Amino acid sequence: MVVNDSGPGARMAFGARPGAPAAPDPERAGLGSPARDALTNGDVVDLAAERRRSGVDQVLDALDAELVGLAPVKARIRQIAALLLVDSARTRFGLTTARPNLHMCFTGEPGTGKTTVALRMADLLKRLGYLERGHLVAVGREDLVGQYVGHTAPKTKEVLKRAMGGVLFIDEAYYLYRAENERDYGQESIEILLQVMENQRQDLVVILAGYKDRMDTFFQANPGMSSRIAHHIDFPGYTLEELEQIGTLMVAQAGYELSPAACATFREYLARRRQQPRFANARSVRNAVERARLRHASRLFDGSAALVSRGDLVRLEPEDFLASRVFQQPAEDAAATTPAPPTP
């Protein structure tokens, strides 16, 4: 289980920038509260000031800075932010505004930024007054489902307790349901989740994540869960150009740079790797950069030169990528290989 509450020692989701301390901000407190500064028909609301006051643009800007591409995803998050901010203004005029259903489903391939967006969504909802703590608890089946009678309910309830006031992110949520095993206890966890998602919507936002086709099958088998999800957001896979941009950013963030020749080699690496099995978008790019760093260090360590310059220490060369197994498979064979999801 991964819990992120922006406190000391908290583990950050992949691609996320360390956030500010979790101490309450009096300038933002209660933005979504109906009791704050009730207005009459003759009053006006400065939405631009409310937007600045909430700090939502900091979250939206962070998403733009952290994640390459994903324009449809970013647009949907911006729409949700706009709805919540306008709802806050409506409430101050006494206009009836039911609390929106904020449970979501993120679908897409691995490494497309789903966890990072969930982390930012938690921050956004806290800033707008819809969540008290704004932390993220990321779990999988093993965190929710027990292996014997009477074990599942306590596990699921403990996770829910930790997630209250924030976002519960359930990765590969379809593994909760195993129709082929009548003795499986996942259905018990699902029923508990359904009750909390319906009755405690003001205290918790649940985000389910996984491959789209598998999530569709999961919802068909669990219509009650499907009906409780208001926002279905699909995360597209990255293009080759976007993968190259992600890799270049990762290299720079690690304090390295690509030589001109290495740029071309790295692009060829990505073109081959994305056609091979178990490709995981940004995660695979990160792994490629880390392995290139290992080969770079070994090259300097085993080299004949006793003296190295700063440029030698920061510059990745083609040989730091060419040693990868990706280049051991002919390009035409790699292109003919159909990517497969990771084995559960």
Side-chain angles (χ1 to χ4, degrees):
M1 179 186 300
V2 179
V3 180
N4 185 292
D5 58 3
S6 300
R11 178 178 170 185
M12 301 300 294
F14 170 65
R17 178 182 61 186
D25 185 347
E27 288 298 313
R28 291 202 309 261
L31 186 67
S33 171
R36 189 177 75 87
D37 300 335
L39 302 176
T40 64
N41 289 340
D43 294 323
V44 295
V45 172
D46 186 341
L47 278 181
E50 292 291 288
R51 181 170 173 171
R52 290 192 299 270
R53 186 171 183 264
S54 69
V56 296
D57 285 311
Q58 296 176 20
V59 179
L60 300 176
D61 290 345
L63 279 176
D64 283 333
E66 293 169 356
L67 296 175
V68 172
L70 301 179
V73 175
K74 295 174 182 177
R76 187 63 174 274
I77 301 304
R78 185 176 294 272
Q79 289 174 348
I80 294 173
L83 171 66
L84 300 182
L85 190 67
V86 169
D87 273 1
S88 174
R90 286 171 52 86
T91 300
R92 293 177 62 190
F93 277 104
L95 298 172
T96 301
T97 301
R99 182 185 177 92
N101 179 2
L102 295 171
H103 300 313
M104 306 177 191
C105 178
F106 291 175
T107 54
E109 300 171 356
T112 48
K114 295 186 289 295
T115 304
T116 299
V117 172
L119 182 69
R120 292 303 171 195
M121 177 58 67
D123 185 18
L124 179 70
L125 295 177
K126 179 180 184 295
R127 289 172 182 265
L128 289 171
Y130 284 83
L131 287 176
E132 182 178 352
R133 296 175 60 192
H135 64 301
L136 179 77
V137 176
V139 299
R141 173 189 164 89
E142 66 278 4
D143 301 297
L144 297 166
V145 181
Q147 298 181 3
Y148 51 83
V149 175
H151 192 207
T152 295
K155 290 189 71 171
T156 301
K157 290 177 181 178
E158 175 60 24
V159 168
L160 288 167
K161 180 180 178 181
R162 295 186 182 188
M164 283 297 164
V167 169
L168 175 61
F169 182 85
I170 306 177
D171 197 17
E172 296 185 307
Y174 31 76
Y175 287 132
L176 291 177
Y177 179 75
R178 292 180 174 173
E180 71 281 1
N181 186 357
E182 61 183 18
R183 298 185 60 185
D184 184 70
Y185 304 114
Q187 189 61 42
E188 182 180 2
S189 180
I190 292 173
E191 291 172 359
I192 295 172
L193 288 169
L194 288 173
Q195 291 179 350
V196 173
M197 290 170 68
E198 183 65 28
N199 299 329
Q200 294 182 261
R201 290 187 300 170
Q202 72 280 7
D203 300 317
L204 178 71
V205 169
V206 175
I207 299 178
L208 310 179
Y211 288 100
K212 188 177 189 309
D213 57 344
R214 298 187 188 183
M215 287 306 305
D216 288 343
T217 301
F218 173 74
F219 287 136
Q220 290 172 6
N222 297 273
M225 183 67 78
S226 177
S227 66
R228 286 168 173 78
I229 300 297
H231 303 279
H232 293 263
I233 304 177
D234 186 55
F235 287 63
Y238 291 111
T239 65
L240 177 58
E241 290 72 22
E242 289 170 341
L243 291 170
E244 189 174 11
Q245 185 179 351
I246 291 169
T248 302
L249 288 172
M250 289 180 176
V251 168
Q253 289 170 356
Y256 290 78
E257 62 185 37
L258 298 171
S259 71
C263 287
T265 303
F266 185 46
R267 181 180 176 86
E268 175 64 18
Y269 171 92
L270 293 173
R272 290 169 175 255
R273 181 65 186 91
R274 70 196 295 258
Q275 299 296 334
Q276 295 179 0
R278 294 176 293 280
F279 177 67
N281 288 279
R283 293 179 192 170
S284 292
V285 176
R286 177 182 59 184
N287 291 339
V289 171
E290 289 300 317
R291 288 167 186 153
R293 290 179 60 194
L294 285 173
R295 298 187 193 103
H296 166 266
S298 296
R299 176 165 56 83
L300 297 181
F301 184 77
D302 297 331
S304 58
L307 302 177
V308 295
S309 67
R310 181 184 183 279
D312 295 328
L313 292 172
V314 303
R315 188 168 53 249
L316 299 178
E317 297 291 354
E319 53 263 43
D320 300 325
F321 296 97
L322 288 171
S324 168
R325 287 177 295 179
V326 169
F327 286 101
Q328 297 175 15
Q329 183 177 10
E332 58 271 19
D333 292 346
T337 304
T338 302
T343 302

